[in-house]
Amino acid sequence: MSVVQKVLLVTGGSRGIGAAVCRLAAKAGYRIAVNYVSNRNAADALVAEIEAAGVEAFTVKGDVGVEADVLGMFEAVDRRFGRLDGLVNNAGIVDVKARVDEMSAARLERMMRINVIGSILCAREAVRRMSTLRGGTGGAIVNISSVAAVLGAPGFYVDYAASKGAIDSFTVGLAREVVEEGVRVNAVRPGIIETEIHASGGLPDRVAQIKEMLPMKRAGTADEVAHAVLYLLSDEASYTTGAILNVSGGR
Ligand code: NAP
């Protein structure tokens, strides 16, 4: 009997937490679709690294906040692997530090389009393929939230925090909606993690500045988040759905 090799799509899989998830998932035996939006070199390098370890992987360019791109991304996975077993809704952005009374509508629309609508569109496409109600064989979705959803990120980016609050509600709602269809939906809430996202929000020294205020006196690593994601994707979490797991070092 041939063993089916599971397929995982990781949005924003080219760098940071997403790349750590791709590496660990490849080790766990998944074939990987690595989504990215602009940094092709990083995505290509990651796929080369995974393939060198003997695991099938490919890059798929697309902005999760653009519906046509999302459709194209999932069609590319259909063509390449012909099945889907898991989605990690990891692609996400912050913006520059600002108070709410300084935020433009354009900023808010971009934040919600990528972080919230993007995740919901990707989950929609995944459910269309994995739900037993639609002829699929089941699967798992892991959404990447943030402890900002609980802390609110006042003075930094309340809009980002609100977008992650939406991810938490979406996780609980979708989990219950598809619970009888073989699809589990969970979320991970990272705390401060050492990735390039802080520099992209204009705060390259964020980790160094906040370190001493964190309960463990250090930021987390992308790997520490990825281990939690892999657990929630795995059959070991077969009775876990609608859960939101803090990976925040006690913050
Ligand atoms: P990162 O290092 O900035 O990497 C972001 C990844 O997302 C990159 O692969 C990037 O692709 C991709 N991406 C960005 N916008 C996209 C879009 N519109 N469509 C598709 N892909 C897109 O970020 P990270 O720190 O790993 O964060 C990953 C997730 O964890 C995010 O949802 C973030 O909110 C969440 N999180 C992070 C932290 C933290 O402290 N780092 C804490 C809590 C939650 P390119 O390479 O092409 O640019």
Side-chain angles (χ1 to χ4, degrees):
M1 209 173 72
S2 68
V3 179
V4 175
Q5 221 190 339
K6 289 187 172 181
V7 171
L8 179 69
L9 168 62
V10 182
T11 68
S14 52
R15 292 186 292 117
I17 293 169
V21 169
C22 290
R23 287 191 182 95
L24 267 191
K27 275 193 194 146
Y30 289 90
R31 291 176 285 173
I32 319 279
V34 179
N35 159 250
Y36 70 102
V37 66
S38 59
N39 192 335
R40 183 172 172 183
N41 287 345
D44 283 346
L46 179 64
V47 163
E49 181 190 324
I50 292 172
E51 283 181 331
V55 178
E56 256 189 280
F58 79 111
T59 62
V60 55
K61 183 174 160 70
D63 182 340
V64 295
V66 174
E67 186 177 21
D69 284 14
V70 171
L71 293 174
M73 206 188 296
F74 280 81
E75 282 160 11
V77 176
D78 294 342
R79 280 195 303 276
R80 176 69 186 245
F81 295 131
R83 62 178 291 127
L84 184 69
D85 301 279
L87 164 70
V88 180
N89 258 328
N90 166 78
I93 54 155
V94 293
D95 208 321
V96 295
K97 184 173 184 270
R99 287 168 45 98
V100 169
D101 55 13
E102 298 164 336
M103 289 177 189
S104 68
R107 167 181 169 134
L108 298 178
E109 277 166 17
R110 174 173 169 266
M111 183 69 68
M112 298 303 159
R113 184 170 53 76
I114 294 173
N115 288 7
V116 182
I117 298 176
S119 295
I120 297 178
L121 286 174
C122 289
R124 180 191 76 188
E125 291 309 306
V127 167
R128 284 178 175 172
R129 287 161 176 80
M130 300 191 308
S131 164
T132 52
L133 207 64
R134 288 171 166 270
T137 56
I141 297 173
V142 178
N143 296 322
I144 307 299
S145 175
S146 167
V147 281
V150 180
L151 300 175
F156 279 86
Y157 21 65
V158 168
D159 53 344
Y160 170 78
S163 77
K164 295 300 187 178
I167 290 300
D168 286 2
S169 306
F170 175 61
T171 299
V172 172
L174 183 63
R176 292 177 181 174
E177 195 165 287
V178 298
V179 68
E180 289 182 81
E181 300 165 31
V183 180
R184 294 182 300 102
V185 185
N186 293 290
V188 170
R189 272 199 206 117
I192 300 277
I193 308 299
E194 293 213 43
T195 72
E196 291 165 351
I197 201 170
H198 309 292
S200 73
L203 300 170
D205 301 328
R206 176 102 168 114
V207 171
Q209 280 165 3
I210 201 173
K211 221 166 62 172
E212 290 308 314
M213 287 187 286
L214 300 175
M216 289 191 186
K217 311 290 179 217
R218 68 168 180 91
T221 66
D223 268 351
E224 287 174 311
V225 180
H227 279 290
V229 172
L230 260 291
Y231 165 67
L232 291 170
L233 286 173
S234 77
D235 289 342
E236 287 165 2
S238 51
Y239 202 55
T240 303
T241 196
I244 304 174
L245 177 57
N246 284 358
V247 183
S248 57
R251 191 166 179 233

